[in-house]
Amino acid sequence: MGLRRSFFLLSAGCLAAALLLTAAIYSVCDRIGRGIPRGGIAIAYDGVVTELEEPSPEQLHVLRILGWVQTLTVLLFPVSGLGIAGVLFYRWKLKEPIRILKEGTERIRMQDLDFSIPVVSADELGGICAAFEIMRLEQMPVRRKAVDGALLRQELEETAELLAASRRPSVRVSVEEQCVDRVYIDHGIFLTVAENLIGNAVRFARQEVFVCLRQEGGCLILSVGDDGPGYPAALLRDGPKPFGKASEDAAHFGMGLYSSQVLCGKHGGELRLENRAKEEGGGARIMAVFGEK
């Protein structure tokens, strides 16, 4: 829900609650006041004049208190309702994104790019968080070093086990390494992309996730497939976007795919998306290509 709509609904809800509470308190005070004599006279239709009972000093004090309560309730409760709406709006919609953006800005200023900026919502502030994350990714340097294929496979297996256990324990994850020797890659970028892709596959898989690591044409290719519903046609046609609408997030869509695409591009590669054939069991397949030079 956007910020404008959220603020309007919160304000309307809190104001309505304040008015209802004001009416209830006013009614209770009025009911109590009716049981207290007010003094004066009563003139009947036939002209007969009757003196009414005068209130005692204690009853007059109670009447004054009831009057003050009614007046203050009418004046303060609607204003307080709007104030509460503002506090809730800040706590629910602004506080966390502002904290994340403030910390992220400071770390980027200090040239510390070893972190991520989560997209905490789908509103305008979530879009700003996504823009900051894209800026961080684009500034991140690529530091290649020699890494053994056996180590990468072990890390992929550990990552897959952790993600499956924490998100979908019923999903089976298999990891295959096709004769990967020593590769020259940015180890941190590889692991970040691997976690994004495997976590995404685990989320949408029905029963299985398939992870394959291979070398081809001077590139390291990480392939992740699942037996889920597959990618939406719009995502296959247009590719991942940093700001997607909820209707586009039917399956396999999010900031993780876009950030993985940016990181693969910085690493001299690309991100390829496709749907598996029915003969393979259906589902989605994504390939992260990392250039070794």
Side-chain angles (χ1 to χ4, degrees), residues 191-209:
L191 292 178
T192 298
V193 173
E195 182 177 350
N196 285 339
L197 303 190
I198 296 174
N200 202 60
V202 167
R203 176 185 174 191
F204 291 101
R206 292 189 175 95
Q207 293 181 322
E208 293 183 287
V209 171

Side-chain angles (χ1 to χ4, degrees), residues 14-269:
C14 290
L15 185 58
L19 292 176
L20 287 174
L21 188 57
T22 298
I25 293 177
Y26 198 94
S27 177
V28 169
C29 291
D30 187 61
R31 190 178 299 115
I32 295 173
R34 289 177 187 174
I36 299 176
R38 303 298 180 95
I41 60 174
I43 303 175
Y45 288 109
D46 57 3
V48 177
V49 177
T50 305
E51 291 188 8
L52 300 176
E53 180 185 357
E54 293 291 334
S56 66
E58 292 79 10
Q59 290 174 327
L60 284 174
H61 184 63
V62 171
L63 287 174
R64 284 194 293 268
I65 292 176
L66 292 175
W68 276 108
V69 169
Q70 289 177 318
T71 302
L72 291 176
T73 298
V74 171
L75 293 176
L76 295 181
F77 273 35
V79 176
S80 299
L82 292 176
I84 292 173
V87 172
L88 293 177
F89 181 74
Y90 174 78
R91 289 179 62 87
W92 292 348
K93 301 293 287 186
L94 302 181
K95 183 178 180 180
E96 186 64 11
I98 289 175
R99 182 191 66 80
I100 291 172
L101 292 172
K102 184 177 179 180
E103 292 180 358
T105 301
E106 181 63 21
R107 295 186 70 167
I108 291 176
R109 187 182 69 83
M110 300 297 294
Q111 298 298 311
D112 175 14
L113 302 176
D114 189 19
F115 71 103
S116 64
I117 299 177
V119 181
V120 294
S121 62
D123 55 29
E124 295 87 341
L125 283 176
I128 295 176
C129 290
F132 264 68
E133 176 65 3
I134 294 170
M135 179 178 67
R136 182 191 71 86
L137 293 173
E138 290 175 345
Q139 293 182 3
M140 183 182 295
V142 178
R143 299 184 176 93
R144 290 180 173 86
K145 65 178 182 179
V147 184
D148 290 333
L151 175 61
L152 294 180
R153 173 169 184 166
Q154 178 184 351
E155 291 174 334
L156 289 174
E157 291 175 342
E158 293 174 352
T159 299
E161 289 178 2
L162 287 174
L163 291 173
S166 62
R167 301 183 184 181
R168 299 279 302 282
S170 61
V171 173
R172 299 188 302 272
V173 183
S174 60
V175 179
E176 177 186 2
E177 175 207 337
Q178 297 182 354
C179 301
V180 176
D181 193 11
R182 178 166 293 189
V183 294
Y184 291 87
I185 60 171
D186 186 306
H187 198 187
I189 288 180
F190 174 84
L191 292 178
T192 298
V193 173
E195 182 177 350
N196 285 339
L197 303 190
I198 296 174
N200 202 60
V202 167
R203 176 185 174 191
F204 291 101
R206 292 189 175 95
Q207 293 181 322
E208 293 183 287
V209 171
F210 317 94
V211 181
C212 179
L213 189 65
R214 70 179 189 274
Q215 285 178 287
E216 183 180 298
C219 294
L220 178 68
I221 300 177
L222 172 65
S223 176
V224 180
D226 62 64
D227 60 350
Y231 293 116
L235 181 56
L236 292 175
R237 181 184 67 248
D238 302 330
K241 299 176 183 177
F243 312 107
K245 298 180 181 178
S247 59
E248 297 172 345
D249 197 10
H252 293 281
F253 191 86
M255 188 62 193
L257 286 186
Y258 186 82
S259 62
S260 297
Q261 177 177 265
V262 172
L263 291 175
C264 288
K266 289 181 63 68
H267 210 293

